[in-house]
Amino acid sequence: MVELKTETSIDAMHAAGQVVARALTAAQKAARVGVTLLELDEVAREVLREAGATSPFLGYRPSFAPTPFPAVICASVNDAIVHGIPTDYRLRDGDLLSVDCGAELDGWASDSAISFVVGHPRPADLRLVETAERALAAGIAAAVVGNRIGDIAHAVGRVCRTAGYGIPQGFGGHGVGRRMHEDPEVPNEGRPGRGLPLRAGMVLAIEPMLIASGKDGYHEAPDGWTLRTDDGSRAAHAEHTVAVTEEGPRILTAR
């Protein structure tokens, strides 16, 4: 069931979203060569603590997971698409890092992700990240009253495919509210004019995931969480929590 949020609820989700935005900004600023992924997780934890927020990631255990998630961020490096567990891996020059973070504040959740290169970037990685951001912007632009979920999916998928990138099937965005994951699902590829109609008060996490090689294959790593590209090519992930309003899309996790 899809819950429509009031303006007051959306404002509360915006407050949670700004905590997420600060955590991602702090993690990106701290992500230098030699820094560990666990250190980045601690940076994000401190932002949440200072805001009086909690993490919907920490201890989260969906049906597919062998163990509860042990961190407040997902840190996915190079060929890791999403759900990377922070470890003592030390970042290297040229690593492509995706950081996903959520926050719960006063009973409401928000969720966002960024991708960036540590140190000296490869031009191909910059194009991949830029395309992920463009796909996200296209999906957000389609999140208007009167459109359908398929319009968002089509907008995201068209940007990704036109640029020649792959899309991991079966993973995409979702509703957000009292819980981090709510109905409806928001695919990263689809047909326009299809699916659930968009109504004012819907709040959605829109999150393109791109594979550099143009192939869609991925697999689950031995940790039971991390998704990696089958061919070892790099991946990027971008995400915002967005409210559908009568005035247009409102980005609750804007940085």
Side-chain angles (χ1 to χ4, degrees), residues 52-115:
T54 58
S55 170
F57 290 18
L58 185 62
Y60 180 58
R61 189 178 185 181
S63 58
F64 68 80
T67 57
F69 197 77
V72 305
I73 63 169
C74 297
S76 305
V77 182
N78 296 333
D79 66 327
I81 306 168
V82 287
H83 302 164
I85 295 176
T87 65
D88 58 2
Y89 174 83
R90 293 188 180 277
L91 290 167
R92 302 172 183 174
D93 187 46
D95 276 345
L96 174 53
L97 176 63
S98 298
V99 180
D100 192 352
C101 184
E104 291 180 346
L105 184 66
D106 297 328
W108 294 98
S110 281
D111 187 13
S112 185
I114 53 174
S115 293

Side-chain angles (χ1 to χ4, degrees), residues 32-235:
R32 299 186 178 93
V33 174
V35 172
T36 70
L37 301 181
L38 282 170
E39 288 172 328
L40 297 185
D41 184 69
E42 183 54 40
V43 167
R45 286 177 190 249
E46 182 58 27
V47 173
L48 267 61
R49 279 195 292 266
E50 289 179 353
T54 58
S55 170
F57 290 18
L58 185 62
Y60 180 58
R61 189 178 185 181
S63 58
F64 68 80
T67 57
F69 197 77
V72 305
I73 63 169
C74 297
S76 305
V77 182
N78 296 333
D79 66 327
I81 306 168
V82 287
H83 302 164
I85 295 176
T87 65
D88 58 2
Y89 174 83
R90 293 188 180 277
L91 290 167
R92 302 172 183 174
D93 187 46
D95 276 345
L96 174 53
L97 176 63
S98 298
V99 180
D100 192 352
C101 184
E104 291 180 346
L105 184 66
D106 297 328
W108 294 98
S110 281
D111 187 13
S112 185
I114 53 174
S115 293
F116 55 90
V117 179
V118 178
H120 298 86
R122 304 178 186 179
D125 288 342
L126 294 180
R127 288 193 298 271
L128 181 65
V129 171
E130 188 271 335
T131 304
E133 293 290 345
R134 281 197 297 113
L136 176 57
I140 292 171
V144 297
V145 175
N147 272 359
R148 292 176 177 265
I149 290 292
D151 294 303
I152 297 175
H154 177 72
V156 170
R158 181 172 56 186
V159 172
C160 299
R161 294 299 189 190
T162 299
Y165 296 125
I167 300 172
Q169 300 301 303
F171 285 87
H174 49 87
V176 188
R178 291 286 186 182
R179 293 175 289 110
M180 178 175 59
H181 289 134
E182 296 184 352
D183 292 333
E185 293 183 1
V186 186
N188 284 327
E189 197 166 28
R191 298 175 63 183
R194 299 295 182 94
L196 187 72
L198 302 180
R199 298 172 59 191
M202 294 175 69
V203 180
L204 309 171
I206 301 172
E207 50 179 319
M209 304 166 193
L210 285 64
I211 298 176
S213 66
K215 298 178 180 179
D216 297 350
Y218 65 91
H219 61 275
E220 186 179 274
D223 63 24
W225 277 99
T226 309
L227 300 183
R228 296 190 179 277
T229 61
D230 279 349
D231 57 10
S233 61
R234 294 191 170 202

